[in-house]
Amino acid sequence: MTLFTATPAGALPAGGGLRPAADSGASAESPVTMTIETVAPLVAAPNGTVTISGHVTNGGRSVLKGAHAAVRKPYSGRPLERRNDLATVAGRTSPLGADGVELDSPQYALPELGPGQSQSYTLGVAVSDLGLSESGVYELAVDVWGATADNQKERALGIARTFLPYNPNPGEAQPTKVTTLWPLVHAPVLAAQTATSENDQTASVLRNDSLAAEFAPGGRLYELVDTGAKLPGLTWVIDPDLLDTAFAMTRPYRVQKPGSEREGKPAKDDNTVQGAGTAAATAWLEKLRAAVAKPGTQVVALPYADPDVASIAHNGADLSGMTTALSKAATAGRLTVEGRLSVDTRSDVAWPYQGYLDQQIAGLTQQSGSGLVLVNGQSVPESSSVKYTPTAVRPIGNGQNAVVADETVTSLFDADLSTPQAQTQATQRFLAETYVITHEEPQNPRGLLVMPPRELTANTAKVLANALQAATDKWIAPAKLDVLAQGAPDPKANSAVPAAPDYPAQARASELPAADLSSTDKIQHDLDTLMRVLTLPQRVRGPFSAAMVRSLSTEWRAQPPAGSTYRAGVDNYLGELTNAVRVPPKNVVTLAGDTGLLQVSVRNDLTQTVTNLKLVLTSTQPNRLKVRAEEELVLPPSQSVTLRFQAEAHNNGPVWMTAQLMTTGPNPQPYGAPQRFRVEVTSVTNGVLYVFAGAGALLLLAALRFIRQRKRRAGQPHADGDQPVGDAGGAENADADADRAADGTADGTADGTADAEADGGPGGDGSAGDGPAQTPRGSSADGRDRAASDEKVGP
């Protein structure tokens, strides 16, 4: 019995009827392009009917005349027994005799189709008419037969092919254990900054609000959870950073305004807006928790933020902090997933970019504690001498195992299957491949890994789920990753890890470059330095450690500009925090005399006390100007302190000084940028001579007065009636006058410069009272410090 269901010629069928077609790739010999967009049922059953629908498109330059569409009976009625046979059929492009013989019924008479026009069709054929002789996979082909206006010869004008499994005896083979990875990843959006919410609670800051739509019904991540929740034995592969972001969104959060992500400024109302995804994130997390709690499922926690191990292995292996960062990311990943989802997880699993593996990647993942690696079959191809598909697990050395995904099966779900044609082709090919794999060795059950891309789309996920459900309990059995990994390896399977030169060039081209990895490694170094001086390091360590790992995310491969912006934002914000503890700029300082105090202030604009710091003052010409080397300090929050360094000058003129903050303790490190300023040394030599000359003149005057007094005592009274002065008293007065002359710098120079302020206070405004420092010797009575811009310091 046959079933004929078609739209009458000349009518406009539902779904479009005659319509312009996209570029079809048709040739002069085969000007018609056909599609198969639905096959129902997906697996043929005895005494059943198979219904096929699609479109016929005239891709040539001439009118299509007297043509019809029909189903072909499979060639020889024999099933396709090897995977190579499937590949051969899938690789054909034009009608061939090997595609079988066209059935007389059903046939669909096509209307005249002008160039570029398209017509839908639907054909139903009885399974018995297809002549399927036994269980197996068969080619299912639909063609168009007819003529064109420029060539009246009737011929096959186009053909569409797919596969049709026929499974009348479901229990005739041991089912293949199929592990399907179900990735939940997203490019990082949590920033290192935090903000203060309306109720004085700390609020997270996101670089954009894209997850609000993805978590909502219809969004990619929502649909992945909704679809995956219906599948048994699924292995969820989750980026812990995504869970942290979702959790942060369940509370009030802020989103950076476009253009502010790179700046790295503290989060404020003028550069952020309120996030809008709280309800969606809350519902999504609840839905995910229910899905992963189903019996038989497994959760694999990727290292936190899914760092790109392939890029690190190839371009950052010499960076000391990378292996440590990966190990910490793995631990943080496990704790985060277990905490957010309340399930046990496996966290020793490495998933290099697209599963490509080489010896460098294997070595790095082994060092960072990954005992199992998810591998693309392209990296570990099978020998042509192996006539069946080996089980997925295999040892790769150094105590590591790989689970190798089937290359052909995995490639079916690489793209976004958004059209009915692509969805049907992927589904039927998946069913065909898995059926043949199972029946290659029907009594030798093996394990198969299906590894869709990290960016699995909602459309593709639904196609994969549909295909899995169609084959489950017929010739495949769902199995979680642990079941597959614990299986016995096949000794005939290839387990050789390729060398670095064999790594795919297209994958290497998208790697994070060495410069980006070095800048991220520097972030870790700068963060470690900042942590040494903070009294409340936990406020900064967590957000920045996570942000540093996010800078290495594998997801940046798909969006390099966004990755660069994110790294710049993290680096700039860390610089903002580091530079909040600083030596304010100084211009010129005057030292009048051979000794004195140089004053340098240090400002702390953080909201916590800073300690374990010292200020080191270095002279470029210590033979002309020597200073005490260093001063340790403690900086209260939002205050500055002024430090005083004893200086000794030997020559007049300018001398450049460098003020550098350093950490204290073992292995001291420079903190922040050095600050240079000029010291003008005046009155070192000449001033001393003037003092000595003045003292000599006073002594001479005292001597003359002493002589006059002696003469008066001899009987020559002074005209003004003064009485003679005794020797002792005159000498003491002369010495006192000389001392006062010598000390004149204390009354003149010091006091004369007391109105010049020293640097210090907020932003270097001279507010020495903010800190514990004392008013320096030589300051004026009102205690004002000297100006940073033009400082004058007395002895």
Side-chain angles (χ1 to χ4, degrees):
M1 175 182 178
T2 62
L3 174 66
F4 170 55
T5 306
T7 303
L12 295 178
L18 297 176
R19 65 180 185 183
D23 181 18
S24 63
S27 64
E29 277 301 311
S30 303
V32 171
T33 299
M34 294 198 70
T35 63
I36 296 176
E37 298 173 3
T38 66
V39 175
L42 303 179
V43 179
N47 303 317
T49 299
V50 177
T51 302
I52 311 147
S53 68
H55 277 86
V56 177
T57 301
N58 182 2
R61 299 181 178 180
S62 181
V63 175
L64 191 67
K65 292 188 173 182
H68 67 267
V71 179
R72 290 199 179 192
K73 181 179 180 180
Y75 180 76
S76 76
R78 301 291 301 171
L80 304 168
E81 296 182 348
R82 296 293 177 188
R83 300 186 70 185
N84 286 341
D85 299 334
L86 302 179
T88 298
V89 171
R92 296 173 185 164
T93 57
S94 57
L96 299 173
D99 292 313
V101 179
E102 186 181 272
L103 293 173
D104 295 333
S105 177
Q107 292 185 355
Y108 170 43
L110 293 168
E112 288 190 0
L113 294 178
Q117 288 187 314
S118 181
Q119 172 70 45
S120 63
Y121 73 89
T122 301
L123 295 168
V125 60
V127 172
S128 58
D129 289 344
L130 292 173
L132 310 183
S133 60
E134 58 184 281
S135 299
V137 174
Y138 295 83
E139 177 185 354
L140 180 62
V142 180
D143 69 1
V144 169
W145 190 273
T148 57
D150 61 352
N151 185 347
Q152 298 299 320
K153 177 183 177 182
E154 289 195 356
R155 63 196 188 279
L157 300 175
I159 192 169
R161 306 174 182 85
T162 189
F163 300 99
L164 181 67
Y166 179 55
N167 190 44
N169 303 306
E172 62 185 4
Q174 295 293 315
T176 299
K177 297 175 183 177
V178 175
T179 295
T180 304
L181 305 181
W182 207 255
L184 293 180
V185 299
H186 188 277
V189 294
L190 265 178
Q193 293 94 325
T194 57
T196 302
S197 62
E198 295 179 356
N199 57 355
D200 293 331
Q201 296 296 313
T202 300
S204 299
V205 177
L206 276 60
R207 67 183 182 91
N208 61 54
D209 213 7
S210 58
L211 283 173
E214 293 217 21
F215 288 151
R220 185 182 74 92
L221 291 171
Y222 178 93
E223 296 300 328
L224 287 181
V225 174
D226 187 65
T227 302
K230 303 178 178 69
L231 296 175
L234 209 56
T235 298
W236 300 81
V237 183
I238 302 176
D239 178 1
D241 177 54
L242 176 62
L243 299 182
D244 264 356
T245 307
F247 182 77
M249 292 172 64
T250 63
R251 303 172 178 181
Y253 66 97
R254 307 289 296 180
V255 179
Q256 293 173 334
K257 290 182 178 179
S260 66
E261 306 95 327
R262 179 181 290 271
E263 296 174 355
K265 298 294 184 183
K268 298 180 180 179
D269 289 343
D270 61 352
N271 59 11
T272 63
V273 297
Q274 187 68 37
T278 298
T282 302
W284 183 81
L285 270 178
E286 292 176 355
K287 191 176 186 69
L288 177 60
R289 291 186 183 111
V292 298
K294 291 178 57 177
T297 63
Q298 182 174 1
V299 176
V300 170
L302 291 172
Y304 196 92
D306 190 19
D308 190 342
V309 294
S311 293
I312 295 171
H314 294 153
N315 304 323
D318 57 339
L319 300 175
S320 59
M322 288 297 161
T323 302
T324 301
L326 289 176
S327 298
K328 290 182 177 179
T331 301
R334 176 180 58 82
L335 295 175
T336 300
V337 174
E338 290 179 350
R340 299 298 184 208
L341 299 182
S342 300
V343 295
D344 293 331
T345 66
R346 179 166 186 172
S347 60
D348 65 335
V349 179
W351 188 11
Y353 174 68
Q354 293 186 353
Y356 295 126
L357 184 69
D358 65 12
Q359 292 172 0
Q360 290 176 308
I361 298 172
L364 178 64
T365 56
Q366 193 272 337
Q367 291 176 27
S368 58
S370 296
L372 191 67
V373 186
L374 306 176
V375 181
N376 189 320
Q378 182 178 330
S379 293
V380 191
E382 298 303 332
S383 169
S384 58
S385 62
V386 180
K387 303 302 182 182
Y388 59 92
T389 303
T391 195
V393 65
R394 57 205 65 183
I396 57 174
N398 297 319
Q400 273 187 314
N401 286 332
V403 179
V404 180
D406 187 87
E407 181 183 359
T408 299
V409 172
T410 293
S411 68
L412 299 175
F413 307 100
D414 278 347
D416 181 20
L417 304 177
S418 57
T419 67
Q421 177 189 9
Q423 293 168 358
T424 296
Q425 291 285 41
T427 300
Q428 298 305 123
R429 182 72 181 271
F430 175 86
L431 296 175
E433 294 285 349
T434 54
Y435 184 97
V436 171
I437 288 171
T438 298
H439 290 82
E440 287 171 334
E441 298 275 321
Q443 301 308 316
N444 178 25
R446 284 146 290 141
L448 182 74
L449 178 65
V450 180
M451 187 174 67
R454 281 173 164 83
E455 305 82 11
L456 179 63
T457 67
N459 289 326
T460 303
K462 291 175 183 178
V463 174
L464 176 54
N466 192 35
L468 288 168
Q469 289 171 328
T472 296
D473 297 331
K474 296 182 176 68
W475 56 84
I476 70 170
K480 58 186 181 181
L481 181 63
D482 278 353
V483 173
L484 208 61
Q486 292 166 5
D490 189 328
K492 296 181 180 179
N494 181 18
S495 60
V497 178
D502 297 325
Y503 191 79
Q506 77 276 11
R508 191 178 291 274
S510 66
E511 290 178 344
L512 300 180
D516 288 346
L517 297 176
S518 296
S519 67
T520 303
D521 194 58
K522 179 179 178 297
I523 290 175
Q524 181 64 62
H525 176 272
D526 294 345
L527 178 61
D528 291 341
T529 302
L530 179 60
M531 291 299 98
R532 294 175 67 172
V533 307
L534 299 180
T535 53
L536 298 172
Q538 64 274 15
R539 292 184 183 177
V540 178
R541 182 188 295 113
F544 266 103
S545 296
M548 190 204 76
V549 180
R550 293 185 194 111
S551 299
L552 304 171
S553 175
T554 305
E555 280 64 57
W556 297 131
R557 292 225 192 190
Q559 36 187 316
S564 297
T565 298
Y566 188 86
R567 282 186 289 274
V570 174
D571 189 31
N572 291 337
Y573 184 51
L574 181 57
E576 286 271 338
L577 293 184
T578 301
N579 294 333
V581 181
R582 68 198 183 280
V583 178
K586 302 172 68 69
N587 293 330
V588 180
V589 177
T590 299
L591 180 66
D594 58 344
T595 61
L597 294 174
L598 295 181
Q599 299 186 96
V600 182
S601 67
V602 183
R603 177 69 188 173
N604 173 22
D605 282 328
L606 296 175
T607 57
Q608 61 175 287
T609 299
V610 172
T611 185
N612 297 328
L613 271 179
K614 62 184 177 181
L615 181 62
V616 178
L617 211 58
T618 306
S619 170
T620 58
Q621 295 177 291
N623 59 320
R624 294 181 56 197
L625 180 62
K626 295 169 102 179
V627 295
R628 189 174 60 223
E630 61 188 44
E631 282 284 352
E632 294 192 9
L633 69 158
V634 175
L635 291 167
S638 303
Q639 294 189 33
S640 64
V641 298
T642 300
L643 303 177
R644 296 158 179 86
F645 294 82
Q646 186 69 41
E648 179 182 347
H650 299 284
N651 294 96
N652 291 329
V655 177
W656 283 98
M657 304 290 295
T658 299
Q660 174 68 68
L661 288 171
M662 299 284 295
T663 61
T664 59
N667 188 27
Q669 297 292 318
Y671 183 93
Q675 188 65 250
R676 297 187 75 228
F677 61 94
R678 191 172 79 250
V679 177
E680 290 288 351
V681 181
T682 63
S683 304
V684 172
T685 303
N686 294 338
V688 171
L689 292 177
Y690 293 154
V691 169
F692 287 143
L698 289 174
L699 289 173
L700 179 60
L701 289 175
L704 291 174
R705 184 177 180 185
F706 176 73
I707 293 171
R708 288 182 60 190
Q709 288 176 342
R710 287 181 65 92
K711 287 181 179 181
R712 287 175 179 175
R713 288 176 183 175
Q716 300 178 7
H718 196 273
D720 59 8
D722 286 345
Q723 297 300 314
V725 178
D727 291 344
E732 290 173 358
N733 289 340
D735 290 342
D737 289 341
D739 290 342
R740 281 194 295 272
D743 288 343
T745 53
D747 296 331
T749 305
D751 291 345
T753 59
D755 59 347
E757 296 178 354
D759 62 86
D765 63 0
S767 176
D770 288 343
Q774 302 298 316
T775 303
R777 180 172 62 87
S779 295
S780 60
D782 62 5
R784 289 186 297 163
D785 291 331
R786 300 171 173 88
S789 58
D790 189 14
E791 186 174 351
K792 297 180 181 179
V793 182

